Amino acid sequence: MRPLTPPAVAAYLDGLSRPPHPVLPRIRAEGLAAGVPIVDALTGALLHGLTRAVGATKVLEIGTAIGYSTVWMATALPPAALLVSLERDQARAAAARGYLAEAGLDDRVNIMIGEADRYLHKLAGPFDLIFQDGDKTQYAPMLAKLAPLLRPGGLLVTDNILWDGEVVPGFTDTPHKNAADTAAIAAYNAALAADPHFTTIWLPVGDGVAVAIRTSHE
Ligand SMILES: C[S@@+](CC[C@H](N)C(=O)[O-])C[C@H]1O[C@@H](n2cnc3c(N)ncnc32)[C@H](O)[C@@H]1O
């Protein structure tokens, strides 16, 4: 697999980054050892910085896994803030709750177990930031449901928009990703790029991150 960022560059940037909580490197190491797909540290730092930059007090995450990205964002929130994180895998959600309690962040994070799509209409917005990192085939269908949950100026941050580069025509001759997921991400990227509710910044950080600013409220 051809890396999106040269490994020496990624290692250099990692070396400059200071995790906001000491539990983060351990969550990442344990997650990788168990084969849990989680963001890399640079994407975590981006999530932390964006959460802080928009002064978020209300955040929604789709796809908690074991709480690695959750901790990156929760450490940027004030104590009275709320981060709602949706995860359908009970064991992963339980692990995430454990790490958040250990980090002293469980007062501001509510992990809800179940299919994200079934919670969306029950959630009271507006959110300052939504992190989409769930089922890739749900990215495009959920887009129209997430836009109304964001405040004007709020951010929809989406992970895996490059999908190891497999959405990029000609990047690899030997694709290894599920073709349906690759097609779903390519369709989502096109839909987000064309969506009049958002102005989007496309970043080659980690596995590719889209930072979409909610520009209009219709
Ligand atoms: C890529 S992982 C999330 C990684 C996490 N955001 C991190 O970086 O630390 C995706 C997670 O989303 C969960 N998931 C996928 N589709 C979902 C859905 N429709 N509803 C709830 N959870 C979902 C999966 O069980 C998986 O744990």
Side-chain angles (χ1 to χ4, degrees), residues 4 39-40 42-44 46-47 50-51 60 73 128-133 136 139-140 143 146 150 154-163 167 184-195 198-214:
L4 295 174
V39 298
D40 69 358
L42 293 177
T43 304
L46 176 67
L47 288 166
L50 292 173
T51 305
L60 172 64
M73 292 186 284
D128 303 298
L129 186 150
I130 298 176
F131 179 44
Q132 171 60 282
D133 195 20
K136 309 313 163 195
Y139 276 18
L143 182 56
L146 297 182
L150 274 172
L155 303 179
L156 171 60
V157 184
T158 308
D159 193 34
N160 305 114
I161 55 115
L162 290 174
W163 208 227
V167 296
I185 292 172
Y188 173 75
N189 291 345
L192 181 59
D195 193 319
F198 293 103
T199 298
T200 302
I201 307 159
W202 305 90
L203 300 172
V205 176
D207 194 28
V209 178
V211 179
I213 306 159
R214 179 80 160 95

Side-chain angles (χ1 to χ4, degrees), residues 24 27 38-39 44 47-48 51 59 61-77 83-87 96-97 99-100 105 108-111 131 133:
L24 280 164
I27 305 176
I38 54 179
V39 298
L47 288 166
H48 179 93
T51 305
V59 173
E61 175 176 56
I62 301 168
T64 322
I66 59 170
Y68 182 66
S69 53
T70 322
V71 170
W72 275 103
M73 292 186 284
T75 46
L77 293 173
L83 191 166
V84 176
S85 190
L86 309 178
E87 173 56 55
R97 285 178 176 150
Y99 287 126
L100 285 154
L105 295 165
R108 68 205 73 174
V109 179
N110 182 6
I111 296 174
F131 179 44
D133 195 20

